[in-house]
Amino acid sequence: MDLVGQVVTIAAVVIGALTTHLTNHLLERQRVRHVLLTRWDERKLETYAQYVDAVRTCIYSAVALYEARTGLARPIRPNDRLTEDLTDAEAARSRAFERVMLLAHEDVIEAAHEVNTATKAVDWRARGTTDGPLSEWRDLNREAFRAINAFHEAARADLGVLGTFQSADHSARALILPESRRESQPPATGE
């Protein structure tokens, strides 16, 4: 083989080796990026689920306290214990919200702020910090669940879940609060 043939062969081997190295490097980088995205998506999903669970626990605790405080239902525990349950639930919601703040896209964080605002209104009414008629209490709860549904939409978009969550249809199903005994009874006469 002449010198030119050897140089061409060596150049082809070098180019082939460099191409293989570059291709392997790019593929490995893409694999690592995919692993990191998958890991973060798993953590986000866990964080979002924990946050919604904490929010719902707050709402259920608030409902129990409100119904006991206003006489809508027989208390399952003394009011001071129900108040303590709500305080504990609020603390868990706050901790879960901090995790959302660390991991979420800004649209999800904004939706979580709306959830916090709506559920705080429910908490305050349950504690008696604010006052109003039963119909307003129901509206506060509906708004809280509307905000939760908006959070679901934002979280699904952040996680890349295809399709839409029919939040308007879901909220319209009136799964939030049953009719109360108080609304069906005639109003009590004044003193």
Side-chain angles (χ1 to χ4, degrees):
M1 198 176 236
D2 64 355
L3 184 61
V4 173
Q6 289 178 352
V7 169
V8 169
T9 302
I10 291 172
V13 169
V14 169
I15 290 173
L18 288 174
T19 304
T20 300
H21 176 73
L22 181 63
T23 301
N24 287 340
H25 175 73
L26 292 174
L27 287 173
E28 181 63 17
R29 230 173 120 184
Q30 184 177 7
R31 186 190 68 77
V32 168
R33 197 175 305 140
H34 177 73
V35 166
L36 287 174
L37 283 174
T38 302
R39 186 178 77 187
W40 285 116
D41 282 349
E42 288 171 0
R43 288 197 175 159
K44 282 181 178 183
L45 176 60
E46 177 185 318
T47 296
Y48 298 163
Q50 287 174 349
Y51 175 67
V52 170
D53 183 54
V55 166
R56 288 184 178 272
T57 300
C58 260
I59 291 171
Y60 297 140
S61 296
V63 167
L65 178 60
Y66 179 84
E67 288 179 346
R69 192 178 59 75
T70 60
L72 284 174
R74 176 179 285 145
I76 55 174
R77 289 190 200 124
N79 283 7
D80 60 338
R81 181 63 186 134
L82 292 172
T83 301
E84 188 177 314
D85 290 347
L86 180 54
T87 300
D88 292 344
E90 287 173 335
R93 177 183 61 204
S94 179
R95 288 189 304 273
F97 176 71
E98 290 301 321
R99 288 192 69 195
V100 169
M101 294 281 289
L102 288 171
L103 294 173
H105 182 271
E106 63 190 55
D107 293 341
V108 179
I109 293 170
E110 226 17 74
H113 278 296
E114 289 180 28
V115 169
N116 286 343
T117 299
T119 55
K120 255 336 229 184
V122 170
D123 297 352
W124 290 335
R125 184 64 55 91
R127 290 178 182 276
T129 305
T130 60
D131 199 23
L134 181 60
S135 60
E136 214 173 83
W137 162 251
R138 291 179 184 282
D139 289 342
L140 291 173
N141 278 276
R142 283 186 187 94
E143 176 56 26
F145 280 95
R146 187 214 53 78
I148 291 169
N149 289 340
F151 177 83
H152 283 138
E153 285 284 353
R156 287 169 56 92
D158 187 30
L159 293 169
V161 176
L162 299 177
T164 60
F165 179 76
Q166 300 296 324
S167 61
D169 292 341
H170 183 69
S171 294
R173 294 182 186 184
L175 302 174
I176 300 170
L177 298 168
E179 291 300 316
S180 75
R181 291 176 284 131
R182 180 175 277 180
E183 285 182 337
S184 63
Q185 296 174 351
T189 57
E191 295 176 4

